[in-house]
Amino acid sequence: MAERKLATFTLDGKTVSLPEGTPVIEAAKQAGLEIPHYCYHPALGNPGQCRLCMVEVEGMPKLQVSCRLPAKDGLVVRSNSQNARKAQASSMEFHLANHPLDCPVCDQAGECYLQDYYMRYGLYTSTVREDKAHKHKRVDIGEHVMLDSERCILCTRCVRFLDQVTGTGELGVFNRGCKSELAPYPGKRVDNAYSGNIIDVCPVGALTDKDFRFNVRVWYLDRTPSVCTGCARGCSIEVHSNTKRPWHDEGRRVNRLKPRVNPEVNGYWICDEGRYSYEGVDAKTRLRAASALEAGAPAYVPSEEAAGRVGAQLRELCAQRGPEGLAVVLSGTLSNEDLFAARRLFVDVLEAGHVLVRPGPDQLGEEDRILRRREKVPNHKGAELLGFGSKVRESSWDDIRGALGAGKLWGLYVIDRDPIAVWGAEASRHLGELPFSVYQGVHANKFMGLARWVLPSTSWTEEDATYTNFQGHVQRARAAVPPLGESRPDWAVFLDILGAVAPGESLAAASAQELFALLSKEGPFAGLSWESLGDNGARIREAQPA
């Protein structure tokens, strides 16, 4: 496709060059200037109905809506002239004419475009004397979404999202004039797999999140760039955590996840599965301390001591019985750094007889044409690129079950997965008879009750790490909250065990950043650095797995 010709024009005294036809409102954003708007959204088009983005154009007799004004050579545009400012303030007055002005009790307060734009572009003396029109309030329109029609400014962003992106079309604007109202079509609810995005695109408090309502004010939230670990897409997200006032929201540290714009990965959206996955971060099933099975009951052991004792047992059993009797079940939930350390320990040094990483029935789910992938793990591609499945021959769940039933295994080391959920309860007898078994993970599961060692791992929101999505796009996840209890990153546990198994073979790394520097020295990750990944990550070059 031929590239569009560049148009050079003047915007508020700045010279701007962008492809011809680019909406002036988008040109302003890229030039670091702000033109107020409600209905325009880069991914949802420009209906030009809110009339807030009015600008003055030299040579044109009337003001223009900048979202529908294409960039052309020689244009002279002013968004901050007296006439433009007056038009913007007048539009604000129309939007607020029937607004309930209930900011003190509105969840959108602190991130509301009505509040922000009134202070920047409004500040008018109201001429409205009539009573405000009253509409439906607190309407339950979906599993996650609550509607307040009085606050709605009819920007139609939500309607366009459901029409253009999901194609489900649950919402519409009904009636005319001052009686116009946003509502679901009769008999419909907004229960599609991406419903939370209409909350994000709503510029006011008309659509709010049931899970977040009245829990914590947004100005108390910390915002941390991260990666969704819900599937192989690896959407760019922001983790919003409450560490300033932990007594709010019943002590929940992570309050919500929001999509972060990344054109290479997820654009502007995330699915509801990923959006609400944060609930597991502080769940009651979280493991907080290591334990050893002694006299038939779990006994507390300090986390680092437990890793050293596990390493000593592994060294002894491998020497006595041979490494072919050891099976290791890894997971695509592990980061690149975790998998790199695991490969060093279980493959290079211990030479375990069975290694499994690929997703099985326990890590597969629904996918669609928008974002969701069938693999419900974020880093199986990273495992492939680190050699699992090629240089490291992988076993299957059936292979390991067969070896277990035949009495060929003396040990099973499982990370963040549950063999009983895959094999069924009938496998419990064989698992309970193993002389060596370890469960290392974030949450308790059925296998944990049979394992001789339990080692707690940090959640993905509690550690710095990198993940490689199914397209080979590498991104950084940053720690948003501190680890719970004595949980530690999986790579740190692996390195402690490696130090006990073979001190001379350990990796010289004390952080995820140092491990990434080691794994990126060669192979497909070569040329990448911790710093170069930035906020949106980078696509790796296709190469043979390391």
Side-chain angles (χ1 to χ4, degrees):
M1 183 182 294
E3 291 187 7
R4 286 187 293 170
K5 173 188 171 185
L6 285 181
T8 301
F9 61 100
T10 303
L11 177 59
D12 290 342
K14 281 189 175 183
T15 300
V16 180
S17 293
L18 282 169
E20 196 172 63
T22 302
V24 165
I25 192 171
E26 190 64 30
K29 185 193 300 183
Q30 295 184 34
L33 302 171
E34 181 183 52
I35 298 176
H37 61 280
Y38 290 128
C39 64
Y40 173 74
H41 189 285
L44 299 175
N46 45 356
Q49 63 193 48
C50 75
R51 317 308 286 181
L52 189 61
C53 64
M54 304 289 278
V55 295
E56 192 171 13
V57 182
E58 193 173 283
M60 292 188 180
K62 296 182 179 180
L63 297 178
Q64 304 293 312
V65 284
S66 59
C67 68
R68 296 188 67 83
L69 177 65
K72 295 179 182 178
D73 266 332
L75 279 182
V76 178
V77 182
R78 287 184 288 272
S79 69
N80 57 5
S81 68
Q82 184 176 353
N83 286 339
R85 288 284 188 168
K86 185 177 178 181
Q88 291 160 5
S90 296
S91 293
M92 281 292 303
E93 185 171 11
F94 276 114
H95 286 301
L96 287 168
N98 287 309
H99 196 80
L101 299 178
D102 54 355
C103 303
V105 296
C106 178
D107 263 355
Q108 195 76 5
E111 50 187 9
C112 175
Y113 282 42
L114 276 175
Q115 290 177 332
D116 295 344
Y117 285 164
Y118 177 79
M119 297 305 296
R120 294 177 201 166
Y121 307 102
L123 295 177
Y124 54 83
T125 300
S126 177
T127 60
V128 177
R129 298 293 178 265
E130 295 81 4
D131 290 338
K132 293 177 181 287
H134 295 288
K135 300 177 182 178
H136 294 93
K137 299 183 73 68
R138 298 178 298 279
V139 183
D140 180 350
I141 64 170
E143 182 181 356
H144 302 295
V145 189
M146 190 73 77
L147 168 65
D148 187 321
S149 295
E150 282 190 352
R151 297 175 185 166
C152 179
I153 59 170
L154 302 175
C155 70
T156 70
R157 282 184 173 191
C158 56
V159 176
R160 283 176 281 143
F161 175 83
L162 296 173
D163 287 346
Q164 299 172 19
V165 180
T166 65
T168 49
E170 297 97 333
L171 295 179
V173 176
F174 300 89
N175 301 322
R176 300 181 67 182
C178 66
K179 296 185 181 295
S180 295
E181 184 172 353
L182 176 73
Y185 282 95
K188 285 198 171 186
R189 285 173 59 81
V190 187
D191 285 335
N192 65 71
Y194 294 85
S195 65
N197 290 284
I198 66 173
I199 300 166
D200 297 333
V201 299
C202 180
V204 295
L207 297 171
T208 51
D209 192 330
K210 289 182 184 178
D211 194 57
F212 184 75
R213 282 166 61 89
F214 310 123
N215 285 329
V216 60
R217 284 299 196 181
V218 298
W219 46 83
Y220 296 128
L221 296 176
D222 302 312
R223 292 165 168 79
T224 308
S226 191
V227 179
C228 177
T229 59
C231 79
R233 175 74 59 178
C235 292
S236 296
I237 61 170
E238 239 182 19
V239 178
H240 291 188
S241 54
N242 174 24
T243 57
K244 295 182 177 70
R245 296 202 171 192
W247 55 88
H248 285 195
D249 200 10
E250 301 179 348
R252 185 167 63 176
R253 299 177 301 162
V254 177
N255 296 85
R256 64 181 182 181
L257 305 180
K258 289 285 189 180
R260 189 161 47 85
V261 181
N262 190 339
E264 293 286 324
V265 180
N266 57 300
Y268 291 83
W269 323 120
I270 55 173
C271 72
D272 287 353
E273 287 177 18
R275 182 184 296 272
Y276 297 104
S277 63
Y278 67 86
E279 295 174 352
V281 174
D282 295 307
K284 293 180 180 179
T285 54
R286 280 293 304 273
L287 298 178
R288 299 173 182 238
S291 64
L293 198 61
E294 296 178 357
Y300 165 75
V301 181
S303 186
E304 293 189 26
E305 178 187 332
R309 289 171 60 181
V310 167
Q313 283 192 16
L314 275 172
R315 182 181 65 241
E316 182 180 344
L317 287 166
C318 281
Q320 291 177 353
R321 304 193 179 193
E324 62 277 3
L326 174 63
V328 179
V329 179
L330 300 170
S331 171
T333 59
L334 298 174
S335 68
N336 292 317
E337 295 74 28
D338 296 333
L339 290 166
F340 183 64
R343 189 187 72 179
R344 182 69 167 174
L345 170 62
F346 296 115
V347 179
D348 299 342
V349 175
L350 289 176
E351 299 180 338
H354 297 272
V355 176
L356 168 63
V357 183
R358 74 174 73 111
D362 57 325
Q363 294 182 333
L364 297 175
E366 293 184 20
E367 69 176 14
D368 56 41
R369 61 176 178 81
I370 304 174
L371 293 176
R372 294 188 298 168
R373 303 291 300 178
R374 186 163 180 260
E375 295 177 351
K376 299 307 176 183
V377 292
N379 204 38
H380 186 237
K381 183 70 172 181
E384 289 180 350
L385 293 167
L386 286 167
F388 292 97
S390 55
K391 291 188 177 181
V392 180
R393 188 183 69 82
E394 274 202 73
S395 297
S396 67
W397 279 112
D398 290 340
D399 293 335
I400 297 174
R401 175 67 189 274
L404 177 67
K408 296 180 179 179
L409 294 186
W410 53 259
L412 179 62
Y413 198 124
V414 178
I415 295 93
D416 213 25
R417 299 177 82 167
D418 191 349
I420 295 178
V422 177
W423 295 332
E426 62 273 10
S428 299
R429 180 176 63 84
H430 293 298
L431 291 169
E433 293 172 351
L434 286 171
F436 176 86
S437 55
V438 177
Y439 172 67
Q440 178 177 322
V442 180
H443 296 278
N445 64 18
K446 293 179 180 178
F447 174 67
M448 185 191 82
L450 300 174
R452 299 186 180 276
W453 290 96
V454 174
L455 305 176
S457 303
T458 49
S459 160
W460 60 276
T461 60
E462 298 166 349
E463 62 181 22
D464 294 326
T466 65
Y467 298 91
T468 308
N469 81 348
F470 75 104
Q471 299 165 310
H473 199 87
V474 184
Q475 297 181 85
R476 281 178 59 187
R478 295 163 174 82
V481 290
L484 279 183
E486 296 181 17
S487 60
R488 296 191 298 152
D490 290 288
W491 61 262
V493 177
F494 295 147
L495 291 188
D496 278 355
I497 294 173
L498 182 58
V501 170
E505 300 292 335
S506 191
L507 296 167
S511 67
Q513 182 174 356
E514 292 178 4
L515 270 177
F516 187 78
L518 293 177
L519 73 88
S520 62
K521 283 186 176 179
E522 57 185 37
F525 293 93
L528 297 181
S529 69
W530 196 256
E531 295 77 14
S532 70
L533 294 178
D535 285 340
N536 285 352
R539 190 69 57 88
I540 62 169
R541 62 182 178 85
E542 289 298 323
Q544 291 298 316

